[in-house]
Amino acid sequence: MTVRPFQPTDAPAWVALTNRVLNRHTTLDAWQADETRRPPDRLHCRWVTEQDGSVVGTAALYEWAFAPPGYLHAQVLVHPAARRQGRGAALAARLLATARETGAAGLQADVSDADPDSLRWAQARGFVHAAHRFTSELDLRTFDLGPFQPRLDRVTEQGVTITDLAGADEAALDRYLNFFADRLPETPDLAGHPRWPLAQVRETLHLDRDPRPEWLVQALAPDGTLLGISALVHYRDMAYNEFTAVHPQARGRGLALPMKLHAIRRAQEAGLRTMRTNNHSRNAPMIAVNDRLGFVRQPGRFELHLPLR
């Protein structure tokens, strides 16, 4: 069987296979729009394999912000009807050879926690379990802020003001971005990772293509000190809670949940029906906040690592 580099004409088949295997609903237009935003200087390799002229397997190798330092993210997908024929192994071999050529320290991959066959397939090739992540989803149409008013009152009693960046100047935005970058390495997701450059934070928050300063929530002390943030971005038909964080010296004061309440209210005011966020299984405090707010846990994914050095 032949493994060949991805061509632009493969895009419709690529999207269709990805949707089929990963149970997604991405449109070709949305996929192509994401492609135009991908930094051209970041490594991104793709391959496909065909059967009777149709793409039945894909592989991708690329840099990803949440991969361990020096690691590349790897993905191999094969249509269920074309499995157990060696196609996945052939794609993985090409991907692994390229990763070694680049000098990558290792590979990171993820597998659905409801797909034991794919997990066993990856483990048979040396991948080991590193973490578990899952999405949580909140129905904004039925969420009621009323029962949480006492939590908002407690914040006010502390002299803390929860506001956003609507009308803020560049200095306030710069402080927000730096706070975001400083807190990321304190999370289980990025512990031990280098600090993100501010350009990467700006891209994560869609500031240069869909700026929504009213969705950048912040908690301020009476003297104006920034104590915490909760940032939303807009993805198609939903609000995504990109990050919620509290300064180490302000933790234990119950600020995370009220900031998320403000973020939820802003998403409701925008007329959106759903809000989502991602959870790391070792981030117990934030999972507890999401559970208390009524976020419903969705099927997750196991993060796997394969050291190459």
Side-chain angles (χ1 to χ4, degrees):
M1 64 191 66
T2 301
V3 173
R4 63 170 176 80
F6 170 89
Q7 301 295 329
T9 53
D10 295 321
W14 183 284
V15 173
L17 182 60
T18 301
N19 285 341
R20 169 69 172 79
V21 176
L22 299 182
N23 192 29
R24 293 178 179 172
H25 305 283
T26 303
T27 65
L28 178 60
D29 287 344
W31 184 86
Q32 290 175 329
D34 288 341
E35 286 293 287
T36 64
R37 292 190 287 268
R38 178 165 50 84
D41 58 337
R42 280 190 198 162
L43 175 72
H44 200 114
C45 304
R46 293 192 178 104
W47 302 269
V48 301
T49 183
E50 296 173 298
Q51 179 175 301
D52 299 327
S54 298
V55 171
V56 295
T58 64
L61 181 71
Y62 54 91
E63 296 180 52
W64 190 49
F66 289 89
Y71 275 55
L72 297 175
H73 189 80
Q75 182 186 70
V76 174
L77 302 177
V78 178
H79 192 285
R83 293 176 184 174
R84 303 185 185 280
Q85 301 172 18
R87 298 183 184 279
L91 289 164
R94 176 67 67 87
L95 182 153
L96 182 59
T98 302
R100 292 188 184 281
E101 289 169 5
T102 67
L107 297 179
Q108 180 201 53
D110 58 72
V111 174
S112 169
D113 56 15
D115 186 0
D117 289 341
S118 293
L119 178 60
R120 283 192 292 269
W121 186 90
Q123 290 174 328
R125 283 152 183 81
F127 282 88
V128 296
H129 179 268
H132 181 230
R133 293 185 175 87
F134 58 93
T135 299
S136 292
E137 185 173 296
L138 183 69
D139 188 339
L140 295 173
R141 298 167 299 177
T142 60
F143 183 82
D144 182 9
L145 286 164
F148 295 97
Q149 187 59 47
R151 297 297 298 269
L152 296 172
D153 294 339
R154 283 179 221 163
V155 171
T156 303
E157 291 166 2
Q158 296 180 44
V160 173
T161 301
I162 299 181
T163 182
D164 55 47
L165 291 188
D169 57 20
E170 283 298 317
L173 174 60
D174 185 69
R175 180 174 68 164
Y176 194 100
L177 298 179
N178 276 287
F179 189 97
F180 191 114
D182 288 341
R183 302 285 80 77
L184 279 177
E186 299 169 359
T187 67
D189 283 284
L190 291 171
H193 286 232
R195 185 180 191 268
W196 281 15
L198 295 192
Q200 188 170 351
V201 178
R202 290 185 64 91
E203 170 58 24
T204 298
L205 296 178
H206 301 181
L207 290 180
D208 298 318
R209 52 189 168 94
D210 185 20
R212 295 172 184 254
E214 71 279 8
W215 280 19
L216 302 182
V217 174
Q218 58 182 351
L220 303 176
D223 63 359
T225 300
L226 182 56
L227 302 177
I229 62 173
S230 188
L232 289 181
V233 293
H234 186 218
Y235 279 110
R236 303 183 183 100
D237 59 347
M238 70 168 181
Y240 180 73
N241 189 195
E242 189 71 51
F243 192 42
T244 299
V246 178
H247 192 281
Q249 296 180 2
R251 290 172 190 164
R253 296 172 59 179
L255 300 181
L257 190 144
M259 286 194 299
K260 282 212 170 194
L261 288 171
H262 276 258
I264 290 169
R265 178 170 60 80
R266 285 156 173 76
Q268 289 179 317
E269 291 171 348
L272 297 176
R273 302 170 62 180
T274 304
M275 181 171 166
R276 291 180 186 165
T277 190
N278 274 324
N279 307 268
H280 192 290
S281 60
R282 293 198 295 271
N283 195 347
M286 196 55 64
I287 291 174
V289 168
N290 292 335
D291 288 345
R292 195 169 298 122
L293 289 169
F295 280 82
V296 178
R297 302 186 190 190
Q298 307 298 308
R301 305 189 71 79
F302 294 119
E303 179 182 327
L304 309 175
H305 290 172
L306 174 63
L308 296 181
R309 296 179 187 168

